[in-house]
Amino acid sequence: MDNFEREMNKIFSKDFTPPIRYKKAVEKAIEKAQYNNEKNKIFLMSNVRNMVASFAIGIIMLSGVTYAGVKLYENIWKKPKETNINEFLINNNDKNALLDETTLINLAIEEFKRIGYNNIKVESSEYIKNPYSNDILSFQVFAYNETDKNLSIVLNATTGKFISFGTDLDLQPQNYRDNRYNIEKKAKEIYIELGYEELEYELVDLVGNYLNDEQKSWFWIATFAKKYNNVVNKYEEISISFIPQINKVIILQEVNCDFENNDIVLTKDEAIEIAKNKEKELYQSIDNIEIDCKLDIEKMNSTIYMIENNIQSNFNSKNEKDEIINGNKYYTENIVRNVYNVKIAYKTTNRIINYFVDTTTGEIIGGEIFDF
């Protein structure tokens, strides 16, 4: 008895109960396979001759078992949750899960030193919630030293990991200039001095603060990121703003979201067709359009969901300090995936919409809209 037969026996044994969460995914896969068996390549197994066996194989695959090198994928789209203004207020339950203030201040001081700022004096600190993210609770420290004012560092309040650093740009010397070759070399040196691994991230962008005239630029922004399939992952990225001639970092940001690096199963043409069908559903007419499609890495978001359901995209309200808070009205889980980014631009209007089509499941997991 081979592995396949053993797994089939498990399926048909009295003790086997298929996981409920897979039922819809399997039913959908069966329906697709019936419609176009050649395209989906899901159930091409000569010994399986009826729908019951097809369902069984779907269960095997979804349980992590593969046969003949073929997988069936579960849908990953999760319905967004509606935001409650109270979610952006730090409560006692939050604080119980967070690192204490003293620990976080000490960690922040060490980060100031790593970036090149010593003899730090802390002015104030606070726990903060990000109204554009559903799961990050942060801790911000404001400080100064003998030479620099308005220094700040933001840490993840749960883990203590670094998020960002900044200082007052108006107080920086602005009379330095250099050529691009030297600046690129200095960017790589600073990257190493900050403690990052040499080959872990790649320099993917280098721009001066005067975008249209590098000769006027006095500080530069170097972006280091990881690449997959030759695509830059902006969710695994380090951005360093620095003054090259004096080796001074003035802004530092890290983005480090888990990336699933899902399989690329869909073709570009299939992704374009999915996006066009959705746009036709939402906008009725899709005449006089230009379409661009590229492989990309994007985070799941609620943009298309809100358009579908005619929901206002953002909210604003006051918190307990009587401060205005702006944020997303709906948020999704922080899931980062390989997608086809399908851009639809209308020639006769200013409407531009991007659809993020998952490269594995074909689901639209988010997007962007520009309606000027």
Side-chain angles (χ1 to χ4, degrees):
M1 180 184 295
D2 62 18
N3 287 337
F4 176 69
E5 290 175 309
R6 279 194 290 273
E7 295 300 335
M8 288 298 292
N9 284 337
K10 287 182 188 178
I11 290 292
F12 292 112
S13 70
K14 293 180 181 179
D15 297 330
F16 181 82
T17 304
I20 301 245
R21 67 182 182 278
Y22 295 146
K23 184 177 179 183
K24 286 186 178 179
V26 173
E27 288 175 344
K28 185 176 180 180
I30 291 172
E31 185 179 327
K32 279 187 176 181
Q34 283 181 307
Y35 176 76
N36 193 337
N37 205 25
E38 275 300 311
K39 182 180 287 186
N40 289 279
K41 307 278 185 194
I42 295 176
F43 300 115
L44 299 181
M45 301 180 183
S46 59
N47 294 330
V48 181
R49 299 183 182 277
N50 56 56
M51 191 64 71
V52 176
S54 295
F55 179 84
I57 288 170
I59 293 296
I60 290 173
M61 292 173 177
L62 285 166
S63 301
V65 178
T66 60
Y67 186 72
V70 180
K71 279 187 179 180
L72 179 65
Y73 301 94
E74 186 181 6
N75 289 349
I76 52 92
W77 168 253
K78 306 290 189 299
K79 183 179 178 180
K81 290 178 61 179
E82 187 170 7
T83 301
N84 184 322
I85 185 61
N86 292 326
E87 295 179 31
F88 302 113
L89 307 177
I90 303 291
N91 55 47
N92 290 331
N93 288 336
D94 290 329
K95 288 184 177 179
N96 291 336
L98 304 179
L99 295 175
D100 64 86
E101 190 169 356
T102 301
T103 299
L104 288 165
I105 287 175
N106 288 334
L107 289 171
I109 290 172
E110 291 304 310
E111 291 293 346
F112 279 123
K113 291 179 182 177
R114 175 174 76 94
I115 299 166
Y117 293 82
N118 297 304
N119 303 317
I120 289 295
K121 293 178 175 58
V122 174
E123 285 186 306
S124 62
S125 61
E126 63 177 343
Y127 291 94
I128 53 177
K129 277 192 174 181
N130 183 352
Y132 291 95
S133 178
N134 60 311
D135 66 344
I136 300 295
L137 283 85
S138 305
F139 186 77
Q140 187 164 15
V141 177
F142 299 93
Y144 66 96
N145 64 11
E146 296 92 337
T147 56
D148 290 275
K149 299 178 181 179
N150 302 330
L151 304 173
S152 74
I153 272 184
V154 178
L155 304 176
N156 184 310
T158 306
T159 65
K161 289 184 177 180
F162 176 85
I163 295 176
S164 65
F165 159 81
T167 186
D168 195 332
L169 296 182
D170 291 335
L171 300 178
Q172 303 307 315
Q174 301 182 13
N175 56 335
Y176 292 100
R177 304 291 183 273
D178 207 340
N179 64 67
R180 190 177 185 86
Y181 174 83
N182 289 338
I183 291 165
E184 182 173 331
K185 183 179 177 182
K186 177 57 67 175
K188 293 176 180 178
E189 289 174 1
I190 291 176
Y191 168 88
I192 296 298
E193 289 168 4
L194 288 169
Y196 300 116
E197 293 293 331
E198 185 171 2
L199 299 178
E200 187 175 5
Y201 291 79
E202 180 180 338
L203 180 62
V204 296
D205 195 26
L206 181 65
V207 295
N209 61 299
Y210 282 91
L211 297 178
N212 297 322
D213 190 349
E214 291 185 351
Q215 299 302 316
K216 292 182 179 180
S217 295
W218 58 272
F219 79 87
W220 290 71
I221 304 102
T223 303
F224 295 82
K226 293 184 179 181
K227 281 186 175 182
Y228 302 84
N229 303 303
N230 208 33
V231 175
V232 173
N233 183 4
K234 56 182 170 289
Y235 299 101
E236 290 181 295
E237 183 179 275
I238 299 164
S239 175
I240 307 170
S241 298
F242 63 105
I243 304 173
Q245 294 81 355
I246 57 175
N247 207 38
K248 186 174 185 178
V249 176
I250 53 178
I251 301 172
L252 177 63
Q253 295 175 301
E254 289 183 16
V255 180
N256 191 14
C257 299
D258 291 336
F259 172 49
E260 298 187 1
N261 200 15
N262 48 301
D263 293 342
I264 299 172
V265 177
L266 232 61
T267 66
K268 277 190 176 183
D269 288 342
E270 289 170 328
I272 289 170
E273 194 62 28
I274 289 168
K276 284 172 62 178
N277 288 339
K278 177 56 69 175
E279 179 68 359
K280 190 181 296 182
E281 175 189 322
L282 297 178
Y283 204 60
Q284 283 80 55
S285 173
I286 56 169
D287 296 329
N288 295 314
I289 61 172
E290 292 180 348
I291 295 179
D292 182 51
C293 179
K294 65 177 181 179
L295 189 62
D296 208 347
I297 296 172
E298 287 291 349
K299 184 186 288 187
M300 184 183 292
N301 68 43
S302 59
T303 298
I304 305 303
Y305 172 85
M306 288 190 289
I307 296 172
E308 287 176 313
N309 293 277
N310 198 27
I311 299 170
Q312 182 182 350
S313 59
N314 295 322
F315 75 86
N316 62 74
S317 186
K318 290 187 176 182
N319 64 12
E320 58 188 0
K321 299 178 183 177
D322 208 35
E323 299 168 331
I324 296 293
I325 291 182
N326 296 299
N328 291 344
K329 194 162 189 175
Y330 280 77
Y331 61 76
T332 58
E333 296 183 24
N334 283 329
I335 296 174
V336 181
R337 304 269 292 183
N338 283 315
V339 301
Y340 283 113
N341 190 338
V342 183
K343 175 183 176 182
I344 298 178
Y346 286 79
K347 297 178 182 178
T348 55
T349 69
N350 291 321
R351 178 182 171 88
I352 299 173
I353 187 164
N354 290 24
Y355 289 96
F356 304 157
V357 182
D358 191 275
T359 62
T360 305
T361 67
E363 299 167 277
I364 295 173
I365 66 168
E368 299 170 312
I369 184 166
F370 309 93
D371 224 339
F372 305 102

